Amino acid sequence: MADKKLKQKRRRPDPTSDDESELPFKNILKPDQAILETLKQLFLAATTTTTAAANGASTSSSSSKPLTLSDLSLSATCREVTDLSLSAVQSTIETLILQIARSILAGNGFSFQVPSRASSNQLYVPELDRIVLKDKTTLRPFASLSTVRKSTITVKILSLIHQLCLRNIHVTKRDLFYTDVKLFQDQTQSDAVLDDVACILGCTRSSLNVIAAEKGVVVGRLIFSDNGDMIDCTKMGMGGKAIPPNIDRVGDMQSDAMFILLVEKDAAYIRLAEDRFYNRFPCIIVTAKGQPDVATRLFLRKMKMELKLPVLALVDSDPYGLKILSVYGCGSKNMSYDSANLTTPDIKWLGIRPSDLDKYKIPEQCRLPMTEQDIKTGKDLLEEDFVKKNPGWVEELNLMVKTKQKAEIQALSSFGFQYLSEVYLPLKLQQKDWL
Amino acid sequence: MPIGAVELPSRGHWAPSFAIPRGRSSPSPITKTKSPAEFFAENKNIAGFDNPGKSLYTTVRELVENSLDSAESISELPVVEITIEEIGKSKFNSMIGLVDRERVDTKLYDDYETEKARERRLAKEARAQELQAKNAALGKKVKEPSATKGAKGRGEASFYRVTCKDNGKGMPHDDIPNMFGRVLSGTKYGLKQTRGKFGLGAKMALIWSKMSTGLPIEISSSMRSHNFISFCKLDIDIHRNIPHVHLHEKRENKDRWHGAEIQVVIEGNWTTYRSKILHYMRQMAVITPYAQFLFKFVSEVAEKNVTIRFSRRTDVMPPVPVETKHHPSSVDLLLIKGLIAETSKGTLLQFLQHEFVNIGKSLAERLIGEMGPEFSPKMAVKSLTSQQIVRIHQLFRQAKFDDPSGGCLSPAGEYNLRLGIIKELHPDMVATYSGSAQVFEGHPFIVEAGVSVGGKDVKQGLNIFRFANRIPLLFEQGGDVVTRTAMKRINWSSYKINQTQDKIGVFVSIVSTKIPFKGTGKEYIGDDTKEIASAVKCCIQLKSKIVRKIQDREQQERKRNLSRYVPDATYAVYDVLKEISKFHASKKRRYEEEEEDVLRKVQSRSITKETLKEMLAQYVEKVDYEMALEYATQSGVNEEPREAIYIQALEDGYNFTDLHSSNFVFRFIQ
């Protein structure tokens, strides 16, 4: 209905009114109060389903206590890791090292059974809506030319983690790499083995006390404690609060927000933060500046679980935008062993969706033709289970592959830099236009 | 033949049309005929004489290639000596009989330094000196002050005397003036794999010397049967395209030398083309390991002198390429006309049958039948009209003929390529491959390839060596089919080769009666000729050979590679053990009996780092032995076929002391 009105207006050329129509669609925006009403409905829907789930009528999509692997009787056994305490990690390492030592002393060398993290060993479980790791393992013997390096690095990392456990400190992945640059050669190698070690020990990467540098930021109606300090994310200036790399020191989350807005890009995040979008519509804004790191994913999940807020995502209208969305939602293949802790269920795709390009009349010069690689990625995504389960997404992706056009969030800036926060997002919220 | 009219370029495939420039600014209505020599003088970049540096390079390569051709034509193992002698300005002036003159009006010159510029320069030099003194005081490495050459004015050209001596065929005494002093005076007819680019050879160098120094070229030559040396000093009359002989005489031939020695003085630039010329010599040595090269650069400054000897490593020479007839699908209209004009055959049938390859009698008859009713086998070939020749040409293009055989080609040979690579690069491993003859537009071609890993003086990453008709190609590498294939279409990682870290040498040699060069410089082969691209790709994929070699190497180095990681692994294990044993004392945790035992031993230091290291090393040794045994039983003991090695003969005139044994003799030179 609103659409119709709008189209009539657009068809009639009206050169006199250049003050209001400068921002297209602004005139159909209802007052904020009305939009807040719709948001309230969304908020209530999210909380009620949670309570319903708590009452036992569990639905897989948005329940706060989701199914676990053990609840499902899957044909293939799957591997999952849990958070382990430091002392547990320590004693697991000790047992492992003692085994190795005895094997060496017995003259048998040593080898590791490493859970394979290859894509052939991944499984998307629709009931859980995330990727999990199957139980295939590979042998990593010391006495083979192809694995001698890796097995040596594995021992080295184990011994380093053991030290961390003893001293009860955290180090970054970079620190870890610099302990023996000569052996590790480059950081990707030590990082990869670190994930292997987490798999071998059966614990999450965060339980190894190794963290990555801060990447994600959060701003908005959120108060939480970081290592005992209370942080008010409305009073963090324009840049917001960096998401702490180790989630275990985060706690006491409080919020009066109605939803969480997940933003792919730093640029859009800065726009929203500067415009104090979260004051107009109470929300929490999060970005990981591209592909999300572990900390941001953990943080998002924690917010979702504790505050029971709906999550709306604002990503680019290209295959990578959707991919990033999928990493938040279903987990990455590389970290699938810990997907239970890293994924946030029920993320809504708010924008920018391929259908928005025409709907919001984004001018041609702001759209980019998709490269062949893009199209291929798009078609590959269409084959992925996590896309298929959502018919709306399939439709959008089909449209993207068909029109061969992509657009970034910044394409909206062609209507003015503040179009995103002033018109686009409010309108989207008003129309409940998410999938 | 009137001056200015040109015969078909004999070796070239590139037929310049010496069209007469019409109606330029010249008001004269008389069209001026341009001599071929003039044409090349004006378009010298086509023949590789773009600038002084490149001219020096091209002169060297033309002379070297001529020498190789000459020696190979009489099946003599080539010995080529090339000398570049730098000639200073005053020496050059005295050579041409010009008196050195001091500058009187200094402001007249381009490189005149104004008062201000001079002040600036002095200040800068003083600063540089200060800095240097400081660095020296601090014990830092003092960099050689870059030779403070003033900007070279245009007048400051460098001149070089290039001398090339070989042991080839030599030239008949009376032919020498025409062979050098007339451009495109070849008389050969037919098709042959040749080194030369345009059939210009030393002539272009002569034109260049005429243009840059005005000094004549000096030629000494002797043929095997001759007991004298022909000496000739000549230059070229560019406008009339005829030789201008200064001196032409017979001299005594004392040491029965045969071959040619050509000396030319040209403008050049050694500084900028030094590396190109040296690369050229090195690559030439790779592709012609049966030749011996002595390269010398002589300068007035002693430390700039260079002497490199590329010694002979084999006496196996590829056969001399055979001249062959044209393949019907490769000829053009002009060529058919030329062949008709030259043929000794009377009838059309005979003409088709004898002037082309792959046309037998029956095929010739079928072709004539297909041409139309106005053709008959018995018709005189010289009576064909232009239209009829066009018809023949059309049919040639459409009809299907057997592919030409590669018999007329002379590839370097897998053996020689391999030897050349080993000799010049000393790689850790090398694999070579020789393809069979294939066809591109009616011309047969053969691709040979080699891949080497490691070696001396080889930079990391891909080093590509391209050869066309056994001469190295150095310029315009980017667009070349070989470069592109090696960079883009080969997945090196599947050979377990790291494209950026390993020192990879890729050697591709293409021989053909016509190399499909791209660009005017004839410096690269186009990437768009699919036949060649796919042949190159096949060749570089020496997969099984390389993988096998790598396996062999891995076998040899397995123990070393495994042992290398023993300390790292054991120290890491021991570190943890030590920590555990410390806490073990406090009995925080219960361990199994065997574990307790280990921990106690660690505590009592009966198990140390060294114990672990030793045990792991022993294990590695055991595994290595087992795997070697397994590898041997799997692959058998079939080693590579043994290759004959060539040991260079000593020259006479040594006294030896022999030490005899039942199987061999040691000879010591006294």
Side-chain angles (χ1 to χ4, degrees):
Chain A
M1 188 185 72
D3 271 322
K4 257 182 205 163
K5 233 191 263 173
L6 143 99
K7 270 175 198 158
Q8 283 161 2
K9 277 219 163 176
R10 294 292 298 175
R11 272 188 207 127
R12 223 181 306 136
D14 191 0
T16 50
S17 73
D18 54 323
D19 48 338
E20 273 296 295
S21 64
E22 251 180 49
L23 293 178
F25 304 101
K26 186 162 184 181
N27 39 17
I28 62 158
L29 260 184
K30 289 184 192 161
D32 285 0
Q33 210 51 49
I35 300 173
L36 280 173
E37 275 307 311
T38 57
L39 283 176
K40 212 165 269 172
Q41 284 168 24
L42 172 71
F43 173 69
L44 283 176
T47 39
T48 46
T49 44
T50 318
T51 39
N55 291 341
S58 135
T59 51
S60 65
S61 58
S62 61
S63 57
S64 69
K65 280 223 171 65
L67 293 167
T68 52
L69 261 179
S70 47
D71 297 340
L72 300 163
S73 48
L74 290 173
S75 53
T77 39
C78 295
R79 181 181 300 273
E80 259 191 331
V81 297
T82 48
D83 271 316
L84 287 183
S85 67
L86 264 193
S87 58
V89 172
Q90 186 187 339
S91 68
T92 323
I93 293 177
E94 286 173 359
T95 317
L96 193 62
I97 291 285
L98 277 169
Q99 262 175 31
I100 290 169
R102 276 167 48 205
S103 170
I104 293 174
L105 291 171
N108 295 326
F110 66 93
S111 60
F112 291 101
Q113 282 286 350
V114 187
S116 160
R117 290 186 290 121
S119 56
S120 61
N121 200 30
Q122 315 269 359
L123 182 73
Y124 173 79
V125 183
E127 293 91 335
L128 301 173
D129 187 23
R130 57 185 165 88
I131 303 170
V132 295
L133 203 62
K134 289 193 272 187
D135 66 339
K136 206 173 90 188
T137 59
T138 45
L139 194 65
R140 187 176 287 178
F142 180 79
S144 153
L145 277 179
S146 50
T147 53
V148 61
R149 258 186 67 74
K150 271 206 162 156
S151 57
T152 309
I153 294 176
T154 314
V155 184
K156 182 83 193 175
I157 297 271
L158 277 171
S159 117
L160 289 169
I161 305 279
H162 188 246
Q163 278 181 36
L164 295 180
C165 295
L166 289 176
R167 286 175 183 70
N168 193 10
I169 48 169
H170 290 83
V171 296
T172 62
K173 284 153 99 182
R174 192 79 184 152
D175 276 330
L176 207 61
F177 163 65
Y178 268 109
T179 54
D180 196 340
V181 183
K182 215 170 155 192
L183 176 65
F184 298 146
Q185 287 178 356
D186 66 77
Q187 207 190 321
T188 52
Q189 297 192 22
S190 61
D191 288 358
V193 171
L194 188 67
D195 282 326
D196 288 339
V197 165
C199 279
I200 295 172
L201 300 179
C203 64
T204 59
R205 201 173 74 192
S206 353
S207 352
L208 298 179
N209 271 12
V210 180
I211 52 179
E214 296 170 340
K215 192 178 170 207
V217 274
V218 59
V219 76
R221 309 283 267 256
L222 176 70
I223 297 172
F224 68 93
S225 67
D226 178 5
N227 223 5
D229 302 340
M230 289 312 286
I231 310 278
D232 184 349
C233 292
T234 51
K235 300 191 174 66
M236 294 305 296
M238 214 188 93
K241 162 82 177 126
I243 292 174
N246 37 350
I247 196 75
D248 43 339
R249 63 179 208 214
V250 173
D252 310 325
M253 284 190 172
Q254 299 163 30
S255 172
D256 62 345
M258 291 188 162
F259 62 100
I260 299 167
L261 185 61
L262 191 63
V263 182
E264 176 186 344
K265 290 263 184 74
D266 201 25
Y269 170 85
I270 288 173
R271 177 81 276 116
L272 295 171
E274 193 183 45
D275 291 352
R276 306 260 173 186
F277 186 73
Y278 49 85
N279 284 340
R280 190 170 162 196
F281 304 103
C283 64
I284 304 166
I285 305 170
V286 184
T287 183
K289 300 170 189 170
Q291 275 289 359
D293 56 339
V294 170
T296 312
R297 283 151 67 186
L298 285 169
F299 191 79
L300 182 68
R301 181 181 166 85
K302 199 174 173 82
M303 281 198 293
K304 164 92 183 165
M305 291 305 153
E306 294 196 356
L307 303 171
K308 305 189 174 44
L309 293 175
V311 183
L312 302 176
L314 180 63
V315 295
D316 285 349
S317 171
D318 60 22
Y320 308 102
L322 197 57
K323 240 184 173 164
I324 286 171
L325 196 54
S326 81
V327 170
Y328 280 114
C330 322
S332 65
K333 289 191 170 157
N334 196 32
M335 299 287 293
S336 58
Y337 61 89
D338 191 18
S339 63
N341 295 316
L342 291 173
T343 55
T344 311
D346 197 27
I347 298 178
K348 302 282 188 211
W349 189 7
L350 183 67
I352 293 174
R353 297 203 308 270
S355 60
D356 291 352
L357 296 186
D358 285 336
K359 211 158 153 193
Y360 292 89
K361 302 209 163 49
I362 291 175
E364 277 299 321
Q365 68 263 28
C366 305
R367 307 180 189 184
L368 290 168
M370 284 165 79
T371 63
E372 275 187 24
Q373 186 59 43
D374 290 340
I375 293 170
K376 194 179 164 290
T377 317
K379 283 182 177 160
D380 288 350
L381 275 177
L382 274 172
E383 300 296 312
E384 298 278 358
D385 297 321
F386 64 84
V387 176
K388 279 192 199 158
K389 64 132 205 260
N390 195 332
W393 291 17
V394 175
E395 206 174 293
E396 293 284 352
L397 198 56
N398 269 326
L399 184 69
M400 187 197 302
V401 174
K402 210 179 86 200
T403 55
K404 294 184 180 162
Q405 281 183 329
K406 60 179 181 184
E408 300 188 4
I409 305 174
Q410 279 72 50
L412 296 171
S413 302
S414 60
F415 300 122
F417 290 115
Q418 287 180 305
Y419 184 76
L420 175 71
S421 53
E422 303 262 307
V423 182
Y424 180 79
L425 282 177
L427 193 62
K428 276 262 172 188
L429 296 173
Q430 175 187 323
Q431 296 177 342
K432 296 187 190 171
D433 189 12
W434 52 73
L435 288 174
Chain B
M1 185 168 171
I3 291 159
V6 188
E7 297 172 15
L8 280 173
S10 58
R11 315 157 98 184
H13 329 293
W14 180 89
S17 87
F18 295 103
I20 299 113
R22 258 170 302 203
R24 240 189 258 158
S25 57
S26 102
S28 151
I30 307 156
T31 49
K32 194 179 151 224
T33 316
K34 190 169 276 188
S35 87
E38 253 177 325
F39 176 83
F40 278 107
E42 283 175 17
N43 299 285
K44 54 188 171 25
N45 59 316
I46 293 176
F49 286 78
D50 315 37
N51 54 51
K54 186 126 186 238
S55 300
L56 180 65
Y57 164 79
T58 309
T59 304
V60 168
R61 69 175 274 186
E62 291 290 1
L63 292 177
V64 168
E65 283 155 24
N66 269 355
S67 294
L68 289 175
D69 275 341
S70 165
E72 280 170 28
S73 69
I74 53 166
S75 303
E76 180 89 20
L77 289 169
V79 177
V80 180
E81 281 173 39
I82 185 124
T83 311
I84 303 178
E85 190 185 338
E86 195 175 37
I87 299 172
K89 191 182 161 219
S90 52
K91 195 172 163 198
F92 176 73
N93 279 350
S94 71
M95 276 167 71
I96 55 171
L98 193 73
V99 183
D100 263 346
R101 294 211 185 272
E102 287 294 310
R103 290 182 181 185
V104 183
D105 182 1
T106 49
K107 287 186 188 172
L108 184 68
Y109 295 93
D110 188 31
D111 54 354
Y112 173 73
E113 199 174 24
T114 59
E115 202 59 40
K116 261 191 178 162
R118 188 181 152 80
E119 267 171 33
R120 266 205 302 270
R121 179 172 61 88
L122 287 178
K124 200 177 162 191
E125 278 174 8
R127 265 205 308 277
Q129 243 166 17
E130 217 172 281
L131 192 75
Q132 216 174 21
K134 224 191 214 166
N135 282 345
L138 289 169
K140 277 189 195 162
K141 236 203 267 175
V142 182
K143 241 202 213 161
E144 278 291 307
S146 53
T148 42
K149 267 183 260 168
K152 265 194 175 175
R154 268 171 295 141
E156 288 292 306
S158 339
F159 298 98
Y160 300 89
R161 177 187 286 125
V162 182
T163 314
C164 181
K165 186 176 179 181
D166 63 56
N167 60 343
K169 188 179 179 187
M171 289 159 277
H173 182 80
D174 295 325
D175 290 351
I176 293 173
N178 265 336
M179 286 177 91
F180 283 90
R182 197 195 287 275
V183 169
L184 301 173
S185 63
T187 48
K188 270 182 285 173
Y189 143 85
L191 201 60
K192 191 176 166 183
Q193 171 196 334
T194 52
R195 283 203 169 91
K197 272 186 163 186
F198 298 101
L200 292 173
K203 291 160 213 159
M204 199 55 220
L206 178 55
I207 295 178
W208 172 246
S209 81
K210 175 100 184 166
M211 289 172 82
S212 57
T213 66
L215 287 170
I217 186 170
E218 286 177 24
I219 302 134
S220 310
S221 158
S222 182
M223 296 182 77
R224 258 179 184 165
S225 49
H226 293 173
N227 53 0
F228 60 88
I229 294 177
S230 317
F231 180 80
C232 189
K233 198 168 175 179
L234 61 91
D235 64 17
I236 185 169
D237 185 327
I238 289 182
H239 299 291
R240 290 161 63 204
N241 191 25
I242 53 165
H244 173 62
V245 180
H246 295 238
L247 185 68
H248 193 191
E249 61 182 20
K250 292 183 181 177
R251 290 179 178 175
E252 204 182 347
N253 189 358
K254 275 186 205 151
D255 30 342
R256 303 182 56 76
W257 166 69
H258 64 89
E261 178 174 354
I262 294 159
Q263 198 177 84
V264 58
V265 181
I266 53 164
E267 186 188 337
N269 189 337
W270 170 253
T271 353
T272 51
Y273 272 71
R274 177 178 180 275
S275 73
K276 284 282 181 202
I277 292 173
L278 294 181
H279 269 129
Y280 169 79
M281 292 307 296
R282 189 181 186 200
Q283 297 196 14
M284 199 52 152
V286 167
I287 199 77
T288 38
Y290 51 88
Q292 177 165 317
F293 298 96
L294 179 65
F295 177 84
K296 270 197 273 193
F297 176 78
V298 185
S299 160
E300 285 162 2
V301 193
E303 65 254 34
K304 274 168 79 183
N305 285 355
V306 179
T307 306
I308 306 175
R309 179 186 292 275
F310 300 93
S311 49
R312 175 177 299 142
R313 280 294 288 274
T314 170
D315 50 4
V316 180
M317 240 188 339
V320 180
V322 190
E323 213 170 285
T324 177
K325 285 174 281 189
H326 289 275
H327 188 270
S329 40
S330 72
V331 291
D332 58 25
L333 209 53
L334 201 68
L335 202 59
I336 301 177
K337 283 185 181 167
L339 289 172
I340 289 173
E342 301 257 0
T343 187
S344 57
K345 304 288 180 255
T347 67
L348 180 60
L349 181 72
Q350 284 172 319
F351 172 72
L352 293 179
Q353 211 182 323
H354 291 106
E355 298 297 343
F356 297 97
V357 288
N358 294 1
I359 301 187
K361 195 172 175 210
S362 60
L363 181 60
E365 279 165 353
R366 274 175 70 197
L367 284 171
I368 292 166
E370 186 66 24
M371 281 171 199
E374 71 263 42
F375 293 91
S376 73
K378 291 266 181 277
M379 71 192 292
V381 68
K382 309 245 181 202
S383 72
L384 287 169
T385 63
S386 294
Q387 285 89 342
Q388 284 171 324
I389 294 174
V390 172
R391 172 70 191 131
I392 294 176
H393 181 222
Q394 281 174 351
L395 190 63
F396 274 0
R397 300 186 106 189
Q398 289 158 5
K400 187 175 173 295
F401 298 95
D402 286 344
D403 285 340
S405 78
C408 57
L409 298 178
S410 167
E414 202 178 334
Y415 173 75
N416 272 351
L417 183 65
R418 183 189 178 79
L419 255 181
I421 296 170
I422 294 174
K423 160 172 114 88
E424 289 307 322
L425 273 79
H426 305 284
D428 298 339
M429 78 187 189
V430 59
T432 50
Y433 175 80
S434 190
S436 55
Q438 295 183 55
V439 178
F440 172 67
E441 285 180 359
H443 292 277
F445 71 90
I446 294 178
V447 180
E448 291 165 303
V451 172
S452 72
V453 179
K456 254 185 5 193
D457 300 334
V458 189
K459 66 174 187 344
Q460 280 189 343
L462 280 174
N463 296 267
I464 292 165
F465 297 80
R466 301 173 290 143
F467 304 97
N469 280 353
R470 292 201 266 128
I471 54 172
L473 301 178
L474 291 179
F475 295 90
E476 301 193 50
Q477 192 177 55
D480 193 89
V481 56
V482 176
T483 319
R484 290 185 163 232
T485 306
M487 304 267 242
K488 304 237 166 79
R489 297 183 200 122
I490 302 284
N491 181 8
W492 290 100
S493 58
S494 71
Y495 299 96
K496 297 190 178 178
I497 293 177
N498 185 331
Q499 197 177 336
T500 49
Q501 305 247 302
D502 287 331
K503 298 168 170 182
I504 316 166
V506 175
F507 306 79
V508 178
S509 158
I510 300 173
V511 294
S512 173
T513 46
K514 183 192 173 185
I515 303 269
F517 284 113
K518 275 279 162 99
T520 50
K522 291 205 167 190
E523 284 290 353
Y524 73 102
I525 300 169
D527 195 27
D528 47 358
T529 50
K530 278 205 190 77
E531 292 88 342
I532 293 193
S534 61
V536 169
K537 184 166 185 220
C538 289
C539 274
I540 312 182
Q541 283 184 325
L542 299 155
K543 189 159 187 165
S544 56
K545 286 191 187 180
I546 297 177
V547 168
R548 210 198 133 98
K549 293 244 160 146
I550 289 180
Q551 268 177 1
D552 279 351
R553 197 170 61 166
E554 274 184 359
Q555 284 298 321
Q556 284 163 11
E557 295 180 358
R558 179 180 44 226
K559 198 169 132 189
R560 203 169 56 110
N561 281 334
L562 289 180
S563 308
R564 209 167 57 193
Y565 290 101
V566 167
D568 272 329
T570 48
Y571 290 175
V573 171
Y574 183 73
D575 281 348
V576 179
L577 286 182
K578 214 168 66 185
E579 295 287 349
I580 308 173
S581 70
K582 262 190 226 160
F583 285 90
H584 175 241
S586 57
K587 296 267 180 197
K588 263 191 187 167
R589 206 188 132 190
R590 303 196 130 265
Y591 295 96
E592 286 169 40
E593 198 139 322
E594 286 137 337
E595 288 174 342
E596 291 264 8
D597 186 44
V598 171
L599 289 177
R600 258 197 308 277
K601 280 184 179 159
V602 171
Q603 223 166 1
S604 63
R605 299 199 54 78
S606 58
I607 290 177
T608 61
K609 249 185 230 183
E610 297 309 314
T611 337
L612 285 171
K613 214 165 103 182
E614 231 166 78
M615 291 306 292
L616 195 57
Q618 271 177 28
Y619 170 68
V620 164
E621 205 145 308
K622 193 180 92 192
V623 168
D624 178 57
Y625 178 75
E626 280 166 9
M627 282 169 117
L629 215 63
E630 195 180 326
Y631 182 73
T633 45
Q634 254 176 30
S635 59
V637 214
N638 54 347
E639 281 173 33
E640 294 251 322
R642 283 164 202 270
E643 281 165 6
I645 59 158
Y646 171 81
I647 301 175
Q648 205 170 358
L650 280 174
E651 284 149 43
D652 298 336
Y654 288 106
N655 289 320
F656 296 109
T657 308
D658 291 357
L659 289 177
H660 289 267
S661 144
S662 53
N663 298 327
F664 56 86
V665 182
F666 268 127
R667 292 194 123 174
F668 292 98
I669 303 169
Q670 277 184 337

